[in-house]
Amino acid sequence: MTKEQQEKRLEEATRILAAIGMPRKQQNLRTALVLLSMFNLRPTQEWAEAGSNTLGISACMDWMAEHYPDIPKGKKDPTRYAPNSRESVRKLSVHPLIRAGVIVKNSDAPNRATNDQNNRYHPSDIAINAIAAFGSSTWDERLKEFHSEQPKLIEVNAAERKVHRVPVKLPDGGTVDTADLSPGAHSELIKAVVERFGSQFTPKGTVVYLGDTGSKWIVNEPEYLADLGVVVDPHGKMPDVVIHFADKDWLVLIEAVTSTGPVDDQRMAQLKELFAGARPGLVFVTAFLTRGKFRQFMADIAWETEVWISENETHMVHFNGERFLGPYNSAE
């Protein structure tokens, strides 16, 4: 077997992990190797030859080292993961595959203790049926059969709530054309804020300001804001998106963060000053594209504000105050 054969099989295994709906953090080398070991698929074999291995964690790691020796795994010994990696293999690769219905634990003794040295894992029958068809004309059909019994883990983890979405609008009743935004990650996030955050958390809200990186603004409604008691300082830095949620009479001030600018204590003070005359209560939201980006700024987020993450769009993170998603100058 050649290194190229090993790399090709691993690349295919990673594609399978994505197709069966594994979260992004499990679409990695370690989980791909676990998949190959459990299905006993060597680099020289085709997916149609996928079978069933019954392995403990140590035996699984030994199998990886034996059959995929040219794939770097550890610093001291590139051919294998270090013994202290057992828990990472178990918790971050094997257990998610169990939750996804790809692997079965202890089919001979389901009540075996977690720390029992006799714990063993093997592929589920429905997973073998699907994965053995990878690359064939029946792959899509077999994948549908698998998902008819096993929901995608990425969807299970998201705990998607069923929501009634109502688009946000412009003061004249028209819709917001986010196609006018300049290309790039920041504009992608602003688009998500308007189309997904807005329709869910401020349904039927009115977009009164929408900034852009390429031009000064896409939506700017100073007269509407003036009716709400806001006289915008032309030298003040507006948030990326401002939505008037009339049902609650809130002004939702949203910063879309891809590199800088979360609602920290300083920015919160600036926004309070900028919107000091507002009749509606002020709600402060920082929006991110991913959890990873949120983690970069988590320590900076001001208390009594909200965080929305595009990849987990039906949930928000509440930085503790006396209420959830609401202004703090109102009893409502």
Side-chain angles (χ1 to χ4, degrees), residues 20 22 33 88 184 195 247 273 278 298:
I20 62 178
M22 298 301 292
L33 283 166
S88 294
E195 296 178 355
D247 285 358
E273 182 178 352
M298 186 165 57

Side-chain angles (χ1 to χ4, degrees), residues 46-86:
E46 298 300 323
W47 285 99
E49 300 175 75
S52 178
N53 245 352
T54 300
L55 302 169
I57 301 299
S58 294
C60 175
M61 294 166 68
D62 290 341
W63 190 98
M64 299 175 192
E66 178 182 355
H67 298 292
Y68 289 81
D70 297 321
I71 304 301
K73 305 174 188 69
K75 293 180 180 179
K76 291 184 178 179
D77 183 357
T79 66
R80 66 169 54 245
Y81 289 112
N84 61 6
S85 299
R86 282 171 47 86

